[in-house]
Amino acid sequence: MKAALKPSTAVLNSVADPRALITELEIQHRTAQLSERICADITGGDLVVIAILKGAFMFLADLSRHLEVPVEFDFMAVSSYGDSTKTSGVVRILKDLDTDINGRDVLLVEDIVDSGLTLSYLLRNLEARDPASLELCALLNKKEKRKISLPVKYEGFQVPDIFLVGYGLDYGQNYRNLPYVASLKK
Ligand code: PRP
């Protein structure tokens, strides 16, 4: 099975820049730090972690491994970019929560905040459901592109304004499975 994986990785590396902008090791280290901070801040004992699909799936998986508090997971699927590299600014909910978050502590997990339009919409949407608290956690923060101010309490890395793939981030639905974050070659 391992032999079959090697060529596939090589193909990916020939398209995605093999010099990872953020390595697997750096991601794992930072993710563990973020989980520790989140655990230290949680006092209510009724945490709901909501990941935004699709991009946040890998970050959520690693973040959750270190969460040593009672936690429920839920997912929302939204689309603001589709297969385009430019946000439309219009956020569509493709899948809503299964959980009622009223009166509960909510942590919203994203892979990347770019313009901030997606998270801004989601914050308004979730705040209307009256959670006890609502905080944001994003692996990557592209502050240069921000069109709207957002309180990202738990931030993994600040990244420059270049197109990124890997660790959940895609280009045309590809490269999400890379264990690191890389820029896409032109
Ligand atoms: C990406 C990312 C965020 C959003 C951030 O999602 O996961 O949800 O864009 O961009 P913004 O700050 O400019 O709004 P995308 O729409 O690409 O969907 P995906 O997660 O399925 O890849």
Side-chain angles (χ1 to χ4, degrees), residues 52-56 78-84 86-87 89 91 94 110-120 122 145-147 150 168-170 173 176:
I52 309 304
L53 299 172
K54 301 177 188 166
V78 301
S79 179
S80 51
Y81 283 73
D83 286 343
S84 165
K86 219 176 159 193
T87 182
V91 179
L94 306 177
E110 264 286 23
D111 53 343
I112 186 165
V113 191
D114 199 315
S115 69
L117 295 172
T118 306
L119 266 182
S120 166
L122 286 170
K145 290 287 290 295
R146 197 59 44 78
K147 289 187 177 164
L150 276 178
L169 285 86
D170 75 306
Q173 301 303 325
R176 292 191 198 272

Side-chain angles (χ1 to χ4, degrees), residues 65-155:
R65 279 178 238 270
H66 302 280
L67 286 179
E68 293 174 359
V69 289
V71 56
E72 181 177 339
F73 297 97
D74 205 345
F75 300 88
M76 285 181 86
V78 301
S79 179
S80 51
Y81 283 73
D83 286 343
S84 165
T85 57
K86 219 176 159 193
T87 182
S88 62
V90 178
V91 179
R92 282 191 305 134
I93 293 184
L94 306 177
K95 183 216 168 289
D96 207 339
L97 297 177
D98 299 324
T99 316
D100 182 2
I101 59 168
N102 184 285
R104 309 180 71 186
D105 292 318
V106 174
L107 181 69
L108 193 54
V109 174
E110 264 286 23
D111 53 343
I112 186 165
V113 191
D114 199 315
S115 69
L117 295 172
T118 306
L119 266 182
S120 166
Y121 170 85
L122 286 170
L123 277 182
R124 286 198 309 277
N125 184 293
L126 295 176
E127 266 162 8
R129 307 182 198 198
D130 290 324
S133 66
L134 177 57
E135 301 291 358
L136 301 179
C137 175
L139 178 72
L140 307 175
N141 198 350
K142 205 184 262 187
K143 280 191 166 168
E144 281 173 55
K145 290 287 290 295
R146 197 59 44 78
K147 289 187 177 164
I148 192 158
S149 163
L150 276 178
V152 182
K153 183 166 184 181
Y154 306 101
E155 171 192 277

